[in-house]
């Protein structure tokens, strides 16, 4: 009924399909296209998808990562733009090599592409489902908007004996070691168990396979481990699938794996996730995460449905009455009220705050709603959670109904980098303060490493009369390859160039290289996706995955900043 009201719509179908059948086919096709483009930076090269959806274009130097992972051949392998006549004959030859069923699908897809109106729909008429407007993604315009080569210029590469180059190569060797053992003992499983030398599926991945493979793709490419990258890419192309039904942690699965836009309202997922027993509540980090992924899907597709999802969640959270301006970690999806009044910038809350400031940055600083919410939240955190220990260590405590737990979790150590990242856009009188606050929190997290027996930070550390920045419970003294501390080192290095952050990062490398980190029962996929990536970037030039062009999601996968193109217009879903 709705489609009959669209101006210019012709009910008769050249395929002999009735209107309901055509609508169902459109939904099927749009879902497929959403999957393809939503995983633009993760899914492997596919010449068939390239022929269907992307016109051949010349490759711009330095864009190998985006081009190859997005379905294009790397420089040196890409054919020149073909003569139209030759291309038409080549297309016919390709049709002769595919099955009749595939030919019919391609013919219908081409017809559908021609049927879609050329003009960009106005906001009033944007469809409410994933639409075939995904075909309008302009890859050339995206290339023009990048300000630096993806892999940087590698300015110091002319000095083969450069200490920084040698440090970066050592981290690359660690990645090769981690990947080689995963491939040998656990290929296709989600993660490696190094002690038992076998694979581990884990409940947090919702029945999906190959988390380490997908999580590692951009790290392998960044480190120019070409053979390993091609192997990982081939596995994704041939073996990975999304044919599972699960109610596991949706944001964690999506941030690590493929970015699907057709699962809808993710905040309603609730239940028991092992380490986080929510008792039927929704988690703040779950509701706040996926901002970047959904906004990027709107950027790729032109379909506002994805951006509308996160805008709605944001506004609900912003309008809810909050205790002292703080966001508790649990809320009821039934009553819409906060529950338990537990506030933490670490586990259960972390990525909500992170994605607010990163949404502002990814939008080329146009998403003012995200910016305002971030600074409001940061002011409340500073007012009620920020403390300085007797020994002079700055930390962010946890709050339980008005009572402070004077501890920080390792997960909260990302906040040093987050605060540094947002300092530039704070009010002028607060910028230097936030820069110093970021440095102090990062120093505290470093102390949690320095004061441990292994020189690797514990899962949580406390501040009391007897100990500062040390684990006080046996169940919190372990290290599981987490990235948050080195993440803050990377951001502080890039924003200040204080050599202390490289010194601290190198301490982590040398301790890990001696094998102490490998005593953990599971080689987490985020070790390859985040920990090693952030360490590698710490010892890379600033234009390697430049912060001017890229924002890292909560699992360290890069998403592009929506710069204005050469015409001066800005493409963004905000």
């Amino acid at each position: 009924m709705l489609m009959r009201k669209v101006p210019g719509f012709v009910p008769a179908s050249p395929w002999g399909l009735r209107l309901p059948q055509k609508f169902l086919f459109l939904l099927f096709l749009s879902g497929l296209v959403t999957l393809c483009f939503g995983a633009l930076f993760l899914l492997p090269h596919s010449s068939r998808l390239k022929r269907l959806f992307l016109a051949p274009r010349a490759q711009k130097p330095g864009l190998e990562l985006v081009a190859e992972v997005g379905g294009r051949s790397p420089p040196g392998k890409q054919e020149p733009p073909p003569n139209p006549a030759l291309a038409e004959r080549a297309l016919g030859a390709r049709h002769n090599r595919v099955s009749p069923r595939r030919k019919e699908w391609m013919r219908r897809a081409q017809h559908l592409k021609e049927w879609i109106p050329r003009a960009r729909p106005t906001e009033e008429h944007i469809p409410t489902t994933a639409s075939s407007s995904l075909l309008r993604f302009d890859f050339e315009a995206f290339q023009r908007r990048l300000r630096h080569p993806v892999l940087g210029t590698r300015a110091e590469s002319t000095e083969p004996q450069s200490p920084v180059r040698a440090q970066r190569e050592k981290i690359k060797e660690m990645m090769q070691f981690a990947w080689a053992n995963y491939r040998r003992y656990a290929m296709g499983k989600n993660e490696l168990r190094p002690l038992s030398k076998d694979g581990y599926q884990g409940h947090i991945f919702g029945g999906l396979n190959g988390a380490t493979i997908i999580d590692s793709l951009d790290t392998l490419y960044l480190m120019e481990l070409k053979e390993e990258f091609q192997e990982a890419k081939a596995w994704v192309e041939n073996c990975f699938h999304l044919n599972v039904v699960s109610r596991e942690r949706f944001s964690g699965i999506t941030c690590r794996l493929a970015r699907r836009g057709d699962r809808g309202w993710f905040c309603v997922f609730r239940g028991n996730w092992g380490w986080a027993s929510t008792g039927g509540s929704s988690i703040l980090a779950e509701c706040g995460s996926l901002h970047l992924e959904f906004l990027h899907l709107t950027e790729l597709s032109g379909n506002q449905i994805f951006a509308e999802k996160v805008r709605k969640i944001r506004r609900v959270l912003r309008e809810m009455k909050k205790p002292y301006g703080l966001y508790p970690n649990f809320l009821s999806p039934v009553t819409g009220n906060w529950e338990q009044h537990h506030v933490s910038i670490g586990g259960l809350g972390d990525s909500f705050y992170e994605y607010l400031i990163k949404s502002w940055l990814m939008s080329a600083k146009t998403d003012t709603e995200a910016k305002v919410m971030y600074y409001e939240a940061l002011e409340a955190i500073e007012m009620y959670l920020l403390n300085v220990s007797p020994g002079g260590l700055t930390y962010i405590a946890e709050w339980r109904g008005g009572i402070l737990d004077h501890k920080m979790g390792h997960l909260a150590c990302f906040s040093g980098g987050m605060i540094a990242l947002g300092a530039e856009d704070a009010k002028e009188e607060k910028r230097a303060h936030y820069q110093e606050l970021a440095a102090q929190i990062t120093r505290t997290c470093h102390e949690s490493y320095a004061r441990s027996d292994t020189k690797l930070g514990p899962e949580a550390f406390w501040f009391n009369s007897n100990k500062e920045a040390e684990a006080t419970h046996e169940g919190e003294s372990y290290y599981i390859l987490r990235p948050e501390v080195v993440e803050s080192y990377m951001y502080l290095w890039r924003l200040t160039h204080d050599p202390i952050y490289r010194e601290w990062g190198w301490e982590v490398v040398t301790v890990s290289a001696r094998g102490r980190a490998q005593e953990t029962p599971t080689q987490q996929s985020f070790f390859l996706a985040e920990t090693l990536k952030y360490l590698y970037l710490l010892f890379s030039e600033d234009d390697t995955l430049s912060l001017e062009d890229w924002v890292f999601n909560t699992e360290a996968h890069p998403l592009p900043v929506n710069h204005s193109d050469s015409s001066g217009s800005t493409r963004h879903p905000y």
Side-chain angles (χ1 to χ4, degrees):
M1 295 295 294
L2 177 63
M3 297 183 72
R4 289 197 183 107
K5 298 180 181 179
V6 177
F9 177 74
V10 180
S13 170
W15 305 338
L17 298 176
R18 296 180 179 275
L19 182 58
Q21 294 172 317
K22 185 171 182 179
F23 181 70
L24 288 174
F25 176 75
L26 177 60
L27 286 179
F28 166 77
L29 182 61
S30 63
L32 179 63
V33 177
T34 299
L35 175 60
C36 295
F37 278 85
L40 181 65
F41 300 101
L42 293 179
L43 289 182
H45 170 76
S46 171
S47 58
R48 288 169 292 187
L49 286 175
K50 174 181 175 182
R51 290 164 186 157
L52 278 172
F53 300 121
L54 298 175
R57 296 186 175 96
Q59 181 70 32
K60 185 175 179 178
L63 290 172
E64 302 87 350
L65 173 64
V66 177
E68 187 162 356
V69 180
R72 297 175 183 277
S73 300
K77 297 182 181 179
Q78 185 169 352
E79 299 176 359
N83 178 285
L86 295 176
E88 185 174 355
R89 289 199 294 271
L91 181 62
R94 287 196 298 271
H95 275 263
N96 291 333
R97 292 196 295 269
V98 298
S99 67
R101 183 177 181 181
R102 178 68 176 173
K103 285 174 63 177
E104 177 62 16
W105 190 92
M106 293 172 67
R107 184 183 69 78
R108 294 186 178 188
Q110 181 63 29
H111 179 85
L112 182 61
K113 182 178 178 181
E114 294 172 355
W115 175 82
I116 296 172
R118 293 284 189 264
R120 187 183 184 90
T122 62
E123 189 161 346
E124 294 78 18
H125 295 92
I126 288 175
T128 57
T129 60
S131 83
S132 296
S133 60
L134 289 167
L135 303 177
R136 289 196 302 271
F137 176 64
D138 191 336
F139 193 80
E140 265 185 355
F142 166 74
Q143 290 176 312
R144 289 194 304 269
R145 292 196 296 270
L146 290 181
R147 297 175 180 177
H148 303 277
V150 173
L151 297 182
T153 57
R154 301 287 163 91
E156 89 291 349
S157 62
T158 57
E159 304 176 23
Q161 304 305 318
S162 164
V164 173
R165 179 185 177 91
Q167 290 170 315
R168 192 169 62 241
E169 288 300 311
K170 180 60 179 180
I171 298 164
K172 182 176 178 178
E173 290 176 11
M174 293 171 66
M175 180 68 181
Q176 287 177 300
F177 178 83
W179 174 262
N181 283 281
Y182 167 78
R183 178 181 57 190
R184 179 178 181 182
Y185 297 113
M187 190 67 175
K189 301 294 186 181
N190 281 321
E191 293 169 322
L192 166 69
R193 293 191 293 195
L195 299 182
S196 57
K197 296 183 180 180
D198 60 3
Y200 175 70
Q201 286 300 94
H203 70 280
I204 69 168
F205 299 102
L208 297 173
N209 297 323
T212 291
I213 300 173
I214 300 174
D215 242 356
S216 299
L217 276 168
D218 47 17
T219 307
L220 292 171
Y221 195 94
L222 171 67
M223 296 183 181
E224 299 184 87
L225 296 172
K226 298 180 181 179
E227 181 178 341
E228 293 87 346
F229 175 79
Q230 293 297 335
E231 181 179 36
K233 192 175 69 168
W235 186 93
V236 176
E237 182 174 34
N238 297 318
C239 304
F240 180 68
H241 66 85
L242 293 169
N243 299 326
V244 296
V245 177
S246 174
R247 293 176 64 84
E248 300 296 343
R249 292 182 60 232
F250 177 47
S251 70
I253 295 169
T254 307
C255 294
R256 292 192 191 192
L257 305 179
R259 288 156 177 72
R260 288 190 66 178
D262 56 353
R263 289 197 185 183
W265 187 259
F266 49 86
C267 191
V268 301
F269 283 75
R270 58 191 185 275
N272 189 322
W273 293 305
W275 63 276
S277 297
T278 68
S281 299
S282 292
I283 297 175
L284 179 65
E286 296 283 332
C287 296
S289 294
L290 297 185
H291 275 57
L292 302 185
E293 289 80 9
F294 273 46
L295 293 172
H296 186 55
L297 278 175
T298 285
E299 165 66 15
L300 291 173
S301 67
N303 189 333
Q304 292 292 322
I305 185 69
F306 310 115
E308 288 170 0
K309 295 285 187 186
V310 295
R311 280 198 295 262
K312 183 174 181 180
I313 291 174
R314 267 194 209 162
R315 288 166 186 167
V316 168
L317 293 175
R318 186 180 183 186
E319 292 169 5
M320 289 177 68
K321 186 177 180 180
K322 294 174 281 293
Y324 304 102
L326 297 168
Y327 286 86
N329 287 338
F330 302 103
L331 64 155
S332 169
V334 178
T335 67
N337 296 324
W338 301 110
E339 297 187 347
Q340 300 184 33
H341 282 199
H342 172 221
V343 178
S344 168
I345 198 172
L348 307 177
D350 46 10
S351 53
F352 167 71
Y353 306 100
E354 174 187 9
Y355 271 25
L356 289 176
I357 189 60
K358 288 183 175 180
S359 293
W360 159 252
L361 296 172
M362 195 176 82
S363 70
K365 302 184 178 181
T366 62
D367 188 355
T368 55
E369 180 181 59
K371 176 185 177 182
V372 169
M373 289 180 68
Y374 168 75
Y375 288 111
E376 288 176 347
L378 185 57
E379 288 177 5
I381 289 168
E382 187 173 8
M383 176 68 70
Y384 297 103
L385 305 184
L386 192 69
N387 282 266
V388 179
S389 72
L393 297 180
T394 300
Y395 62 97
I396 301 176
E398 297 187 6
W399 187 84
R400 296 179 187 273
I403 300 174
L404 287 182
D405 285 339
H406 291 273
K407 74 168 185 176
M408 279 186 73
H410 193 292
L411 287 167
C413 284
F414 86 98
S415 59
M418 176 188 73
I419 294 170
L421 200 58
E424 179 183 352
D425 297 309
K427 296 176 182 178
E428 186 173 357
E429 64 272 18
K430 299 280 284 185
R431 291 173 189 170
H433 167 70
Y434 284 142
Q435 290 168 356
E436 178 61 21
L437 178 59
Q440 291 300 322
I441 290 173
T442 303
R443 173 175 169 262
T444 297
C445 291
H446 169 260
E447 285 298 314
S448 76
Y449 277 53
R451 300 182 186 197
S452 70
D453 293 336
T454 63
K455 305 305 177 185
L456 292 170
E459 185 69 3
F461 46 95
W462 291 75
F463 301 84
N464 53 44
S465 58
N466 298 319
K467 294 185 178 181
E468 293 187 0
E470 295 182 50
T472 59
H473 301 87
E474 184 177 349
E476 297 172 337
S477 61
Y478 58 90
Y479 173 72
I480 57 170
L481 311 173
R482 289 202 186 276
E484 287 76 22
V485 173
V486 296
E487 176 183 357
S488 286
Y489 292 168
M490 188 277 291
Y491 281 117
L492 269 294
W493 161 256
R494 288 225 171 164
L495 296 169
T496 69
H497 287 158
D498 186 334
I500 193 63
Y501 300 112
R502 279 184 166 174
E503 291 177 21
W504 291 348
W506 189 243
E507 291 173 6
V508 176
V509 172
T510 54
V511 170
S512 299
R514 288 199 296 268
R516 286 180 172 175
Q518 295 304 317
E519 294 176 4
T520 57
T522 304
Q523 179 179 278
Q524 305 277 348
S525 73
F526 56 66
F527 177 63
L528 293 83
E530 301 182 68
T531 309
L532 292 178
K533 181 186 284 129
Y534 285 133
L535 284 169
Y536 189 83
L537 290 171
L538 176 61
F539 294 97
S540 297
E541 294 299 303
D542 289 357
D543 61 358
T544 302
L545 284 181
S546 169
L547 298 182
E548 289 188 86
D549 287 325
W550 303 95
V551 168
F552 295 100
N553 81 345
T554 195
E555 302 291 338
H557 299 304
L559 296 171
V561 174
N562 298 318
H563 293 307
S564 298
D565 59 27
S566 58
S567 66
S569 61
T570 300
R571 286 169 51 89
H572 59 75
Y574 319 99

